[in-house]
Amino acid sequence: MMYWGNGMSAWAMAFTTLVNLVFWALVIVGVVMLGRHFDRRTPPNTAPRSGPKDGRPLAHQILDERFARGEIDEDEYLHRRQVLDGRPTARPSVG
């Protein structure tokens, strides 16, 4: 039986269904984006050593790590530490 006049055509039903799906997809995407925006515990794309730990600047941490690995000796470590603290001293003897 065909409906003429008062019934919806197949194209109108398809269009209504499509608009409904797009609307709900946008609602879901919006809710997910709001959830991600308000649930930022750490900024995205940051390295683990992105800031100071235990109150010291990152440069001090790197210097401590290099000294601990044996990349620099004690004289070099102390000299660089004093420079970082703003107290320049005479350069240690090389050789």
Side-chain angles (χ1 to χ4, degrees):
M1 184 170 182
M2 299 182 92
Y3 293 99
W4 299 100
N6 292 335
M8 277 174 91
S9 70
W11 290 110
M13 281 180 144
F15 180 73
T16 303
T17 303
L18 181 66
V19 169
N20 221 348
L21 288 173
V22 169
F23 171 76
W24 286 110
L26 288 174
V27 168
I28 291 170
V29 167
V31 167
V32 168
M33 289 178 69
L34 279 174
R36 286 184 179 177
H37 176 73
F38 289 115
D39 189 38
R40 291 198 177 180
R41 292 188 184 100
T42 58
N45 300 328
T46 56
R49 294 189 323 173
S50 62
K53 295 179 183 173
D54 68 344
R56 294 183 308 163
L58 186 58
H60 283 92
Q61 293 170 3
I62 294 171
L63 185 61
D64 291 346
E65 290 172 5
R66 289 188 63 199
F67 180 63
R69 284 191 301 259
E71 294 177 10
I72 57 176
D73 61 358
E74 185 178 4
D75 291 335
E76 181 73 15
Y77 172 78
L78 293 174
H79 172 73
R80 289 179 185 233
R81 186 69 184 235
Q82 289 174 348
V83 170
L84 285 174
D85 291 339
R87 297 176 288 146
T89 61
R91 180 94 172 129
S93 60
V94 177

